[in-house]
Amino acid sequence: MENFETTNSNELKVTETIRENITAGMKWANFLTILMCIGVCFMILAGVMIMLGSAVVPAGMPGIMGFMGVFYILIGAGYIYPIKLSFAGMRNVRDAFDHDSQEDLEEAAINLRKLLKFIGILVIVIIVFSIILTPIMIAASALSAAGM
């Protein structure tokens, strides 16, 4: 990938309108990131509760419930990386505007790119799993209905 740098005096400038809109957007990003933290806590708590509850279910189910509990915990843990990137990006934007720091603004852009790349890859993985699992689930329910 090539590096493009401004070689003339027409450098990109952060106007007051840009600053206001990015600052307002960061407030919403902060709110959503805090909600993500709460969601992760609930997912991990749900995973632990499912695993604990697997001890009192009928025979044959504890293995499935234990797996589901671990799955919930892993999914919750998977959200920690984008939360970390979100908080880091917001801190960089705040520092960039507070101290007129070009380096902090560049770091915020890097964190945003990493966050969007992670989410893009996650969406691709979810789509692939959906495409693969949908026919399997249809076949399994057809076989289950035929066996009843």
Side-chain angles (χ1 to χ4, degrees):
M1 189 174 216
E2 295 181 41
N3 257 345
F4 294 102
E5 293 187 15
T6 306
T7 56
N8 58 20
S9 62
N10 295 329
E11 290 188 29
L12 185 64
K13 292 185 175 41
V14 178
T15 64
E16 193 57 37
T17 302
I18 293 171
R19 184 182 298 251
E20 287 172 6
N21 284 301
I22 290 177
T23 302
M26 287 299 105
K27 290 176 184 174
W28 281 105
N30 190 41
F31 172 70
L32 293 173
T33 304
I34 290 170
L35 288 181
M36 283 175 52
C37 289
I38 294 168
V40 165
C41 290
F42 279 128
M43 285 193 79
I44 292 173
L45 182 62
V48 169
M49 296 305 289
I50 290 170
M51 288 172 59
L52 292 174
S54 70
V56 295
V57 294
M61 292 295 289
I64 293 171
M65 290 192 64
F67 171 77
M68 289 304 296
V70 170
F71 183 72
Y72 266 65
I73 292 170
L74 290 175
I75 294 296
Y79 279 100
I80 292 172
Y81 180 68
I83 288 171
K84 176 193 159 296
L85 288 175
S86 294
F87 279 131
M90 288 181 286
R91 184 184 63 248
N92 291 130
V93 168
R94 185 189 64 233
D95 291 346
F97 289 159
D98 287 348
H99 306 109
D100 290 326
S101 170
Q102 183 70 32
E103 294 82 24
D104 283 326
L105 193 56
E106 289 171 1
E107 191 65 32
I110 290 168
N111 284 326
L112 177 62
R113 179 185 54 85
K114 288 179 183 178
L115 176 64
L116 295 175
K117 181 179 178 181
F118 179 84
I119 292 172
I121 291 170
L122 183 63
V123 167
I124 291 169
V125 168
I126 290 170
I127 290 170
V128 168
F129 273 122
S130 297
I131 290 170
I132 292 170
L133 292 178
T134 299
I136 293 170
M137 293 176 72
I138 291 171
S141 42
L143 289 173
S144 175
M148 291 183 130

